[in-house]
Amino acid sequence: MRLTFSRTLRAGFKNFYRNGWLSVATISIIAVTLFIINIQFAVVISENLLLNDIKDRVSISAYFKPDTTEQDVLKAKEEFAKYQEVGSVEYISKEQALEDFKRENADNEILQKSLEEIESNPFEPTLSIKAWEPKNYELIARLVNDSNYKEMINTVNYDKYSNVIDSLGTEIDSNQKTGLALGITLAVIAVLITFNSIRITMYAFRREIEIMRLVGASNNYIRMPFVWEGILYGLISAMVALPLSFIYLKFVAITESSGVILPFSSSIYIDQFLNQIFFKNILWIVPAELGVGILLGVISSIIAIGRYLKNPRH
Amino acid sequence: MIECKNVSKIYPGDVPALENISFKINDKEFLSIIGSSGAGKSTLIKLLHAEEKPTSGEILFGGEDIVEYKKKQIFQHRREVGVVFQDFKLLPKKNVFENVAFAMEVSGRSEEEVAEDVPQVLEIIGLTELADKYPHEISGGEQQRVAIARALVNRPKVLIADEPTGNLDPESGWEILQSLLKINKYGTTVVLATHDREAVDKINGRVVVLKDGKIVSDEIKGKYDLKEDKVKKEEKEDRQRRTDSENQKKKSI
């Protein structure tokens, strides 16, 4: 077993080396495939980061009439929190709203002065409601407007951003689908090209194969060198594609002009992706990349040699 | 012992190659099978080597029917039956030693065994001095001896030779036959398929004559029993057919 392993491995390396430019071409194609799959992944994940970020900032605000008691507002809070679509409800009292406003506008002297001149708190007690899904904001706004507390509520203001979020969600969805289709198409092309390369090697080695069969080599023994060759193709391709993808994301995609390639996302999110996700998960990203490369190579080899070995006897 | 029982082989398109052949080969026997090309010699060799399956009949090796063999048993069978061809079938990029060692490596034998057995076989066949040479550096007769060494290195009980002298001048051909006789003397059963009448006359052993896929004679110590002029005519036709098919092959390439 160990002997077969080392002997077929050696033969596989020799095939690979003897193929020269054919090996280089095969590796290039697999590497390009892996590169595009990588970039697609990075884009989709960066877009998700962006989406989550925006989702976090959006909420519905229900402004209560100034004379509503805190007790009533809290009852409303409890009620709204029970809605299925609602993620969280935050109560902001009149005083807190004033404080927040003062703090946010600390630089604006005119505003500060005018607040002092009013002498009373112009803010209303507010419930800030967040939805699980951005598409539910409209529904929640309607539910709040129709609730038992509608008499106490002055206005319900749901963020105009929810439309943006909706379209961003759709965008990511379609991006994922396009990316998947593109990835699969390229993977098929890569398999076909690797398949062809291995077939050409096998043609060059047909005499060897004939003699191997003649002296009683098992199918496995004949197959293994070509499988090793495929593994080698995939392995080297992955080792090329991964650093290339990183360099592309870090130095090319991050520049302003990349808006066309990465709709909605900006450099911050690509950077965030690299720092928060890529580097933290590199321990499984690297083996996964190598694994995908090897898989592409091996599948091609096995398909290519299949016909040769179907039957040891006619 | 090898026994063929009612073996027929019909190729697709209703082309009969062998029709109801039955014969036995005893252990340590030297059997010559003669006949012109198209008589079924090569088909018979392919059946014995489990490269093809007969359409009907049994082929017994030591009581086991190789027709029923599964993949693994076929590979094992080929390691136990050495085979030599007209065109040597050596690997051009391996030297003599490596060509012989290759058959052992494929059978999963260890490096130590290879290092021990290959020189022994080369010694027996008289190739020791050529061990480092590549096939293109040695003569046809020497190449065929390398093929014989490769066939022997796994210590087969049976050695099958399909027209081993076909590509050689008479002198080299005679040397090959002597090697085969020597191997037979050491105890290996040898099956020699040839249309070389002179060779068979010199060996003077058991001869099976095939014609149109049938055994027409099977005699121990027999001479090539066809009339000389007839044989010559057949040989001529044979050569003509072969060049025709070669030309056709070249054209198709």
Side-chain angles (χ1 to χ4, degrees):
Chain A
M1 194 58 215
R2 198 176 51 80
L3 265 176
T4 307
F5 184 88
S6 65
R7 278 168 184 161
T8 55
L9 183 63
R10 216 180 312 141
F13 265 97
K14 214 161 98 187
N15 294 1
F16 176 83
Y17 180 77
R18 264 205 227 167
N19 273 343
W21 281 106
L22 192 64
S23 296
V24 175
T26 311
I27 286 169
S28 310
I29 290 293
I30 304 181
V32 167
T33 306
L34 290 174
F35 173 78
I36 291 177
I37 292 172
N38 288 344
I39 300 299
Q40 277 298 331
F41 258 102
V43 168
V44 166
I45 292 172
S46 300
E47 282 175 346
N48 272 326
L49 289 173
L50 167 70
L51 182 64
N52 286 335
D53 202 21
I54 294 180
K55 267 189 197 168
D56 246 19
R57 294 184 200 177
V58 175
S59 62
I60 289 182
S61 295
Y63 299 102
F64 285 76
K65 288 171 180 161
D67 54 351
T68 318
T69 60
E70 189 171 65
Q71 214 175 358
D72 283 339
V73 179
L74 287 173
K75 266 189 200 161
K77 181 190 174 204
E78 230 168 273
E79 174 72 21
F80 296 155
K82 283 178 194 160
Y83 297 155
Q84 242 181 354
E85 295 80 10
V86 170
S88 67
V89 185
E90 195 191 351
Y91 169 56
I92 302 156
S93 66
K94 283 164 77 169
E95 293 73 26
Q96 202 188 331
L98 180 63
E99 285 304 307
D100 288 351
F101 186 81
K102 278 183 178 171
R103 197 176 52 242
E104 279 165 24
N105 298 289
D107 303 338
N108 194 328
E109 277 179 34
I110 302 169
L111 269 178
Q112 299 282 353
K113 267 186 190 163
S114 46
L115 275 174
E116 276 165 29
E117 273 168 29
I118 296 170
E119 284 184 347
S120 70
N121 186 347
F123 289 93
E124 298 158 340
T126 312
L127 288 180
S128 167
I129 303 166
K130 283 189 177 168
W132 294 116
E133 297 283 340
K135 65 177 179 204
N136 287 331
Y137 278 113
E138 213 180 325
L139 175 66
I140 292 171
R142 229 179 20 241
L143 287 172
V144 169
N145 268 330
D146 293 345
S147 69
N148 298 331
Y149 300 93
K150 62 183 175 195
E151 298 300 328
M152 297 177 203
I153 295 172
N154 222 351
T155 46
V156 172
N157 170 11
Y158 90 88
D159 242 301
K160 52 187 183 292
Y161 284 123
S162 67
N163 285 330
V164 178
I165 293 175
D166 261 3
S167 63
L168 183 60
T170 321
E171 173 85 26
I172 293 176
D173 241 30
S174 80
N175 256 5
Q176 270 169 338
K177 275 174 196 148
T178 325
L180 192 69
L182 189 67
I184 291 175
T185 311
L186 276 161
V188 169
I189 292 173
V191 165
L192 283 176
I193 289 181
T194 319
F195 165 83
N196 253 320
S197 307
I198 302 251
R199 275 221 92 102
I200 291 171
T201 328
M202 276 168 44
Y203 183 76
F205 280 74
R206 66 197 184 286
R207 207 179 155 80
E208 248 105 337
I209 293 175
E210 186 199 350
I211 294 168
M212 282 165 104
R213 302 192 72 155
L214 209 78
V215 295
S218 66
N219 281 350
N220 209 30
Y221 193 92
I222 297 171
R223 187 188 293 123
M224 283 314 284
F226 299 103
V227 173
W228 287 121
E229 192 183 343
I231 288 177
L232 220 53
Y233 285 150
L235 210 60
I236 296 174
S237 305
M239 290 194 291
V240 171
L242 197 59
L244 206 67
S245 309
F246 175 76
I247 290 168
Y248 178 80
L249 289 173
K250 184 80 188 168
F251 300 108
V252 183
I254 243 168
T255 54
E256 290 300 317
S257 59
S258 64
V260 187
I261 311 164
L262 308 173
F264 282 110
S265 22
S266 65
S267 55
I268 306 164
Y269 296 100
I270 294 279
D271 220 30
Q272 209 178 338
F273 163 75
L274 288 176
N275 292 327
Q276 289 182 3
I277 295 176
F278 182 77
F279 285 123
K280 276 189 191 154
N281 295 297
I282 195 137
L283 280 181
W284 71 261
I285 288 178
V286 171
E289 179 91 0
L290 295 179
V292 173
I294 289 171
L295 207 66
L296 284 178
V298 169
I299 289 173
S300 321
S301 305
I302 289 178
I303 299 172
I305 200 155
R307 259 190 227 160
Y308 268 72
L309 301 176
K310 215 167 242 172
N311 195 349
R313 192 150 60 168
H314 310 289
Chain B
M1 194 181 62
I2 304 166
E3 186 175 3
C4 289
K5 276 187 187 169
N6 309 318
V7 172
S8 293
K9 174 73 183 177
I10 298 161
Y11 285 110
D14 271 347
V15 186
L18 289 175
E19 286 176 64
N20 215 18
I21 297 267
S22 295
F23 67 100
K24 283 183 192 174
I25 305 171
N26 295 315
D27 282 343
K28 300 179 186 182
E29 193 168 20
F30 194 112
L31 174 73
S32 304
I33 300 173
I34 55 175
S36 54
S37 76
K41 297 190 304 282
S42 291
T43 302
L44 185 56
I45 297 281
K46 280 180 184 161
L47 293 179
L48 292 177
H49 196 234
E51 278 176 69
E52 305 231 4
K53 220 174 180 167
T55 311
S56 63
E58 291 173 18
I59 301 171
L60 304 170
F61 269 74
E64 277 186 59
D65 187 3
I66 68 165
V67 179
E68 301 297 324
Y69 274 180
K70 301 271 186 299
K71 267 189 203 169
K72 262 193 175 172
Q73 292 167 298
I74 290 174
F75 303 140
Q76 192 57 41
H77 174 74
R78 289 188 191 151
R79 290 171 203 167
E80 287 165 4
V81 176
V83 65
V84 174
F85 292 93
Q86 181 171 355
D87 58 351
F88 323 137
K89 295 196 197 293
L90 299 178
L91 294 167
K93 293 195 174 155
K94 288 185 191 288
N95 66 26
V96 168
F97 185 97
E98 289 163 347
N99 261 291
V100 177
F102 186 67
M104 291 187 79
E105 286 167 4
V106 161
S107 317
R109 311 275 288 277
S110 73
E111 301 296 340
E112 292 77 31
E113 284 176 292
V114 172
E116 199 180 313
D117 288 6
V118 175
Q120 263 181 28
V121 172
L122 291 180
E123 175 80 43
I124 294 170
I125 306 295
L127 288 167
T128 308
E129 280 165 22
L130 301 178
D132 296 330
K133 298 266 192 240
Y134 286 84
H136 69 270
E137 298 173 319
I138 60 180
S139 73
E142 287 162 342
Q143 289 187 48
Q144 190 60 294
R145 296 224 302 277
V146 177
I148 292 174
R150 182 181 61 195
L152 285 181
V153 78
N154 282 329
R155 300 174 199 202
K157 289 196 185 85
V158 185
L159 178 74
I160 300 173
D162 188 5
E163 299 279 11
T165 60
N167 277 2
L168 303 176
D169 59 88
E171 203 176 322
S172 307
W174 176 232
E175 277 173 22
I176 292 301
L177 290 179
Q178 279 183 316
S179 299
L180 293 177
L181 286 166
K182 190 171 166 190
I183 292 156
N184 180 242
K185 223 185 233 172
Y186 280 124
T188 306
T189 308
V190 175
V191 179
L192 167 68
T194 184
H195 63 264
D196 186 349
R197 176 182 56 87
E198 281 178 41
V200 174
D201 278 351
K202 282 178 192 163
I203 293 164
N204 211 20
R206 177 178 165 201
V207 179
V208 167
V209 181
L210 272 181
K211 193 163 186 263
D212 297 331
K214 291 180 191 122
I215 294 179
V216 293
S217 91
D218 181 353
E219 290 173 16
I220 294 172
K221 295 270 179 192
K223 295 258 179 185
Y224 204 144
D225 71 338
L226 300 168
K227 289 257 161 39
E228 196 168 321
D229 52 355
K230 199 180 166 196
V231 170
K232 276 192 178 150
K233 194 180 156 215
E234 275 182 8
E235 277 181 4
K236 203 174 156 196
E237 280 172 2
D238 201 45
R239 269 199 295 276
Q240 186 58 43
R241 249 192 303 250
R242 213 173 296 157
T243 30
D244 283 353
S245 71
E246 266 167 24
N247 286 342
Q248 244 170 1
K249 260 185 209 163
K250 273 178 200 157
K251 266 183 208 163
S252 67
I253 286 166

